[in-house]
Amino acid sequence: MSLRLFDTATRDVRAFIPQTQGEVGIYLCGATVQSAPHIGHMRSAVAFDVLVRWLRRTGSRVTLIRNVTDIDDKILAKSADAGEPWWAWAATYEREFTAAYDALGVAPPTYEPRATGHVTDMVELMQRLVDTGHAYTTGPGDVWFDVRSWADYGSLTNQRLEDLTPAPADSAEESLKRDPRDFALWKAPKPGEPATASWDTPFGRGRPGWHLECSAMAHRYLGGTFDIHGGGLDLRFPHHENEQAQSRAAGDGFAQYWLHSAWVTQGGTKMSKSLGNGLLVREVLRTTSPAVLRYALAAVQYRSMLEWTQDTVSEAEATWERLSGFVQRATERVGTIDLDDVRQAELPAAFVAAMDDDLNVPAALAVVHEHLRAGNSALADRSPAADAVARHHLVALRAMLDVLGLDPAGERWADAGDTRYRQALDAVVTAELDARAQARAARDFATSDAIRDRLAVAGIVVEDSSDGARWSLAARQGT
C-alpha cells in the first residue's frame, strides 16, 4: 500500500502500514448528542468518509467504529432546562445527526456504539488502571487517572506535564485529586441529577468520564491495538491525549496513527455553538442541495481550515452543476454506465497519487477537472469517433467522484444534480403556505385545512410555530 498519512502523534507524513494486510480498523470520535449538528460537525464526518472510501476502493476491508456520546454534563443540563428526560433528549439529537450524515452521503459505520451501552467495558478498564497504580479513588463514585504515573503523558500533543496549567477545581471532589491535572474516569452523581443517569460499580455509583468512554469502546470493537484513531482537531487535547494515556497505561497499544481534521471557520474563528456562529445542517439544507454541501466540505484537504463565506456555497454549486451537467449530457450521448463498471474502472494515475498523498483532494479534483474539460471537448465533437472518447472521460470522472462520494449518477445523487427542482418546489409550497396564512387570518379554516391536506397528500409536512409555518418533506416509508 502506497498511502501516506499525516500522523498527529509524530507530526509527520508516514507510510500507512496496517497491522494486518488488507484489514484496517478505525475509531472515529462521533457526536456528543447535546444539540443539533452544524456543518462543522459534518466536516469531520465527510473527511473520514473520504478516507474510508479510498481505503475500500484500494482493496482494504475497513472496520469503522464511530461512537455516540449520549451522556455528559451538557446533555444533563440542557435536558433538565427543557424538562425532558436526558435519554430522550440524547436520542432526539442522535437522530438529527444520523439524518445529517445520511443527507450528505456519509456511509454508515460498521458499528455505532453508545457510551451508555458500555458501562461494563468501562468498569473493566478502570479496574485495570486501579490495579496497576494508574488510577485512584477519592470517595464513592469518584475515580481519577493519575497523570504523573504515566511518564509519556503529553506525547500526543507534544506538551510537558509541567507546562500544562490545570483548570481550577469546580467542586469539593476535584480538590481532593493528587494532582490538579488528573482527570476523571468516573464521576459521582451531582445533587439534582436523575437517578437514571448513574450506574452501580465496584467504585461506587456514578457515570463515566468522557475520555474513558472512547477508550473502552475502542478496545471492545477493535482490540487493544488498532490502526487509526480520528476526530476533529479540537479533540487532540485533552480528549485524545487522555484517551491515549489511560489506554496505554492499562497495557494497550491503542492507536498506531492519529488523524485530525481541521475546522470550519467563520472570520477565522472556529465554528461552534458557544460562539453563536454555528450553521445548522438542517437550515443550510433548506437552501442548499446536500450534494453541494458535501462538495464544499470535501473539496478542501482535510487538514486545512475551511473558511465559510457567502462564496463557499455558490462556488461549490457552480462546480457541482458543471460536473453533474457533463455527466447528464455524456450519458445521453453514450448511454448509461453501470455503477459496477464505474467502480471497477482503472483510476487515473495522477488521481491515485494525489489521494495517496495524505488524501490531497484539491490535487485529485484537478485531475477530475482535466477529464471534465476533455470530456466536454469530446461532446462538442459530433463525429462518431468522439463517442468513445466521451465515454472514456465519463467513466473516469464518475470513478474519481465516486471515491469522494460525489458521483452525480451514483445511487445517492442521481436526482440531486439540478437545484432548480428544489427551488421550484420551495416557491410553490411557500405560495401555498402564504395562502393558508391568509385564510387563517380571515378565520376561513375550511380553506386553511384544505391547503394543509393538499400539501400532506403531496408529501409535505407543515409545522406551525410562533415564527410561522415551516415545511419539510415527509419521511420515506420504511425509514
Side-chain angles (χ1 to χ4, degrees):
M1 180 180 290
S2 58
L3 175 62
R4 293 174 297 122
L5 297 170
F6 184 86
D7 182 4
T8 308
T10 62
R11 292 166 287 282
D12 195 11
V13 176
R14 297 172 55 200
F16 176 62
I17 303 174
Q19 295 183 95
T20 303
Q21 185 175 0
E23 304 272 342
V24 180
I26 303 175
Y27 186 88
L28 175 61
C29 280
T32 297
V33 287
Q34 53 164 304
S35 52
H38 56 64
I39 61 174
H41 295 122
M42 293 302 107
R43 174 83 196 281
S44 176
V46 169
F48 285 94
D49 185 56
V50 170
L51 170 64
V52 170
R53 288 173 182 270
W54 183 237
L55 289 167
R56 288 173 174 162
R57 182 64 170 80
T58 51
S60 293
R61 181 177 181 271
V62 180
T63 299
L64 173 65
I65 304 301
R66 184 184 68 205
N67 77 295
V68 175
T69 297
D70 59 343
I71 185 166
D72 81 336
D73 291 346
K74 291 181 180 179
I75 291 172
L76 293 177
K78 290 183 177 182
S79 62
D81 289 343
E84 296 284 342
W86 65 269
W87 43 266
W89 185 269
T92 295
Y93 291 109
E94 181 181 343
R95 287 192 294 270
E96 283 217 29
F97 270 87
T98 299
Y101 296 141
D102 291 346
L104 269 62
V106 175
T110 309
Y111 192 61
E112 193 165 25
R114 298 184 183 94
T116 54
H118 294 79
V119 170
T120 300
D121 300 296
M122 297 177 207
V123 170
E124 290 176 356
L125 178 53
M126 280 193 291
Q127 190 66 64
R128 291 161 64 194
L129 290 168
V130 170
D131 290 346
T132 54
H134 294 293
Y136 61 95
T137 63
T138 55
D142 287 313
V143 186
W144 308 93
F145 182 84
D146 185 347
V147 294
R148 291 193 176 276
S149 74
W150 186 245
D152 204 33
Y153 188 82
S155 63
L156 178 62
T157 51
N158 196 29
Q159 300 182 90
R160 297 190 311 165
L161 183 61
E162 294 74 16
D163 296 333
L164 297 175
T165 302
D170 62 0
S171 66
E173 291 76 17
E174 288 207 355
S175 65
L176 299 175
K177 294 189 297 184
R178 294 175 182 172
D179 187 295
R181 302 169 187 83
D182 292 349
F183 59 86
L185 300 175
W186 201 253
K187 300 190 272 190
K190 297 177 182 178
E193 290 183 351
T196 54
S198 59
W199 291 261
D200 286 321
T201 78
F203 311 102
R205 189 168 182 84
R207 56 184 172 85
W210 179 29
H211 318 303
L212 182 75
E213 298 172 353
C214 286
S215 284
M217 288 185 281
H219 182 95
R220 174 74 172 187
Y221 296 102
L222 297 174
T225 304
F226 56 94
D227 297 305
I228 296 172
H229 195 313
L233 187 63
D234 52 321
L235 299 180
R236 289 174 63 241
F237 188 87
H239 185 45
H240 288 167
E241 187 73 70
N242 291 351
E243 275 189 70
Q244 176 171 276
Q246 66 196 6
S247 292
R248 292 189 173 173
D252 290 344
F254 208 53
Q256 301 303 289
Y257 295 79
W258 286 89
L259 271 63
H260 291 94
S261 58
W263 302 328
V264 176
T265 59
Q266 288 181 303
T269 302
K270 175 180 175 288
M271 181 175 293
S272 67
K273 296 182 186 68
S274 61
L275 295 176
N277 60 352
L279 287 172
L280 297 184
V281 175
R282 64 176 179 233
E283 296 302 324
V284 173
L285 292 181
R286 289 186 177 278
T287 56
T288 304
S289 80
V292 169
L293 179 54
R294 181 183 175 101
Y295 185 94
L297 294 174
V300 177
Q301 206 268 354
Y302 76 97
R303 289 196 293 117
S304 298
M305 298 295 179
L306 171 56
E307 176 68 12
W308 197 265
T309 69
Q310 292 183 342
D311 294 333
T312 305
V313 171
S314 59
E315 291 173 0
E317 186 169 40
T319 303
W320 175 251
E321 288 181 356
R322 288 196 297 272
L323 294 168
S324 58
F326 166 74
V327 170
Q328 180 180 354
R329 294 191 305 275
T331 302
E332 291 171 354
R333 172 85 169 264
V334 306
T336 301
I337 309 297
D338 189 80
L339 184 58
D340 287 340
D341 292 338
V342 170
R343 290 180 173 168
Q344 293 169 11
E346 183 177 356
L347 293 164
F351 179 87
V352 173
M355 293 301 292
D356 276 345
D357 182 18
D358 196 28
L359 305 178
N360 190 344
V361 173
L365 285 172
V367 184
V368 171
H369 285 282
E370 289 175 6
H371 283 264
L372 174 64
R373 288 189 292 270
N376 279 325
S377 296
L379 291 182
D381 184 348
R382 304 307 300 176
S383 67
D387 287 2
V389 177
R391 188 183 192 282
H392 165 76
H393 291 296
L394 172 62
V395 172
L397 182 140
R398 285 190 55 194
M400 290 184 285
L401 290 177
D402 180 66
V403 168
L404 304 178
L406 286 164
D407 176 12
E411 298 162 329
R412 178 64 185 83
W413 310 118
D415 299 321
D418 194 338
T419 59
R420 292 175 298 172
Y421 293 109
R422 173 74 189 198
Q423 293 167 354
L425 177 62
D426 184 71
V428 171
V429 174
T430 298
E432 286 279 352
L433 293 179
D434 288 343
R436 179 172 174 266
Q438 293 173 12
R440 285 163 64 92
R443 303 187 66 79
D444 183 0
F445 298 115
T447 298
S448 170
D449 291 343
I451 293 172
R452 183 176 188 132
D453 293 344
R454 187 160 63 240
L455 291 171
V457 170
I460 305 296
V461 177
V462 177
E463 298 177 58
D464 292 311
S465 70
S466 58
D467 297 325
R470 300 171 63 182
W471 70 273
S472 61
L473 295 176
R476 294 178 180 179
Q477 294 297 318
T479 61

